[in-house]
Amino acid sequence: MDIKTYVLKRKQYLKDKITRDGGTPSLAIIQVNDDFASNKYIAGKINDAKEVGINATLIKLPETTAMEVVLRKIKKLNKDPHINGIIVQLPLPKHIDENIIKEAISPAKDVDGFHPLSRFKACTPLGIVNYLKDEGIKISGKNVVIIGRSNIVGKPAALLFLAEDGNVTVLHSRTKAEDLKRYVANADIIVVAVGRKHFINDEHTLKKSAVLVDVGINRNDDGSLTGDIKPGRGVFLQTPVPGGVGLLTRLTLLENVMEAYLHGI
Ligand code: NAP
């Protein structure tokens, strides 16, 4: 099933579940800027939430807000029994320490899965693994190559694929180009989260049976978006950009909020 149809189906399921339950799961979004891209991403998240019956509240603070003020807001939300999930939109202004903020969110409400002790898995890798499993793609015993080792994508993806018994290899900027070619040529599943347009391209030999998961979001000169993998590689499955992993990430945030609502303390 293509990702758009899959996401629509899962959202409908979530909406039905919320309607049946009769309550309203709630998400608080903290934003500390008036950045164009952040505004756009947040509007998307609020819209997604509304579609399925989740109440999303935006707490928008000016870019000059002191870190202590943001921390106080988070503490208040941590204690608020009406709030199930809390997310802080990144990037944060330079004077605010991202790690301190992430760790201030209660692990029970950290629906982005950024807190080291969070009960939730990071949305992007969890969305990918759930999708592949639902599509019947076998992970156990398969050679899974993850390119990129960020805390929000590469590293948690490696742990999730490992938990599914994949043979996981993580590559990064210190990996030699010739080694990378060798690893990808032998891979059954390749997750690319580098942030470079068409990083995987015709120079890379791939298995015909390979599954390519493109996490990258890069902007073309005309403003349109493209991924880290050159489109049309003729493999078994290649996720598109746009309309691919981004949709899975957004879906998983909603699913994490629902889980926080159902199982929160
Ligand atoms: P990031 O924090 O910038 O990490 C990029 C990773 O790529 C790093 O681990 C880096 O290695 C590695 N890398 C850089 N050059 C490389 C090279 N030549 N060979 C191999 N690895 C290389 O990025 P991120 O936050 O993970 O995001 C990656 C991309 O995914 C971005 O385009 C971002 O916009 C997109 N993204 C999309 C979604 C979505 O929902 N679709 C979600 C999150 C991110 P080092 O660690 O050695 O520096």
Side-chain angles (χ1 to χ4, degrees):
M1 194 187 302
D2 72 89
I3 291 181
K4 273 186 192 157
T5 314
Y6 171 81
V7 167
L8 278 176
K9 217 175 125 187
R10 290 281 292 253
K11 275 164 95 174
Q12 187 60 48
Y13 174 78
L14 203 52
K15 188 177 174 179
D16 293 345
K17 204 165 156 183
I18 292 170
T19 309
R20 268 200 313 276
D21 178 84
T24 310
S26 64
L27 169 70
I29 305 169
I30 300 181
Q31 179 181 10
V32 198
N33 61 31
D34 189 25
D35 175 70
F36 176 78
S38 293
N39 288 342
K40 204 171 145 219
Y41 285 132
I42 289 170
K45 287 173 188 175
I46 293 174
N47 215 29
D48 288 344
K50 212 168 157 185
E51 265 183 62
V52 298
I54 290 173
N55 180 37
T57 310
L58 174 62
I59 296 141
K60 190 168 178 175
L61 304 166
E63 189 144 7
T64 50
T65 309
M67 186 161 81
E68 289 65 35
V69 175
V70 183
L71 287 172
R72 271 205 298 278
K73 293 269 179 211
I74 293 173
K75 277 185 191 145
K76 208 170 150 199
L77 293 168
N78 281 343
K79 285 190 199 140
D80 186 339
H82 303 293
I83 297 292
N84 305 113
I86 305 168
I87 60 172
V88 175
Q89 182 67 35
L90 300 178
L92 286 164
K94 283 200 176 66
H95 66 278
I96 295 183
D97 187 326
E98 198 178 296
N99 290 326
I100 295 179
I101 295 294
K102 282 179 186 167
E103 288 179 20
I105 300 172
S106 157
K109 295 190 179 186
D110 174 32
V111 285
D112 256 338
F114 289 162
H115 190 293
L117 300 173
S118 177
R119 63 180 291 169
F120 302 96
K121 306 278 185 276
C123 297
T124 301
L126 181 60
I128 293 169
V129 169
N130 283 343
Y131 173 65
L132 296 184
K133 282 168 68 182
D134 287 346
E135 281 300 289
I137 288 161
K138 197 171 168 234
I139 299 173
S140 175
K142 296 292 178 183
N143 296 335
V144 181
V145 168
I146 296 166
I147 313 180
R149 55 175 166 179
S150 71
N151 290 330
I152 61 164
V153 188
K155 280 185 200 145
L159 292 178
L160 285 179
F161 278 101
L162 202 52
E164 296 298 328
D165 300 323
N167 314 325
V168 179
T169 307
V170 183
L171 309 180
H172 44 76
S173 68
R174 302 300 169 95
T175 306
K176 292 190 190 92
E178 64 265 30
D179 288 333
L180 188 135
K181 281 185 180 163
R182 195 164 41 83
Y183 281 114
V184 298
N186 196 37
D188 300 303
I189 299 172
I190 307 172
V191 179
V192 191
V194 172
R196 284 204 203 176
K197 179 178 171 175
H198 304 173
F199 178 79
I200 296 295
N201 51 53
D202 297 337
E203 283 177 20
H204 300 93
T205 305
L206 305 169
K207 282 188 180 179
K208 277 264 172 265
S209 58
V211 168
L212 305 185
V213 180
D214 195 343
V215 183
I217 302 173
N218 310 287
R219 209 164 273 283
N220 291 315
D221 292 341
D222 64 1
S224 61
L225 299 180
T226 194
D228 284 359
I229 307 174
K230 192 174 172 195
R233 287 307 317 270
V235 290
F236 178 70
L237 188 155
Q238 176 171 359
T239 66
V241 177
V245 173
L247 296 181
L248 297 175
T249 303
R250 284 165 62 172
L251 167 71
T252 310
L253 175 66
L254 303 176
E255 293 182 338
N256 278 353
V257 175
M258 184 61 181
E259 199 190 318
Y261 168 73
L262 292 175
H263 306 290
I265 342 167

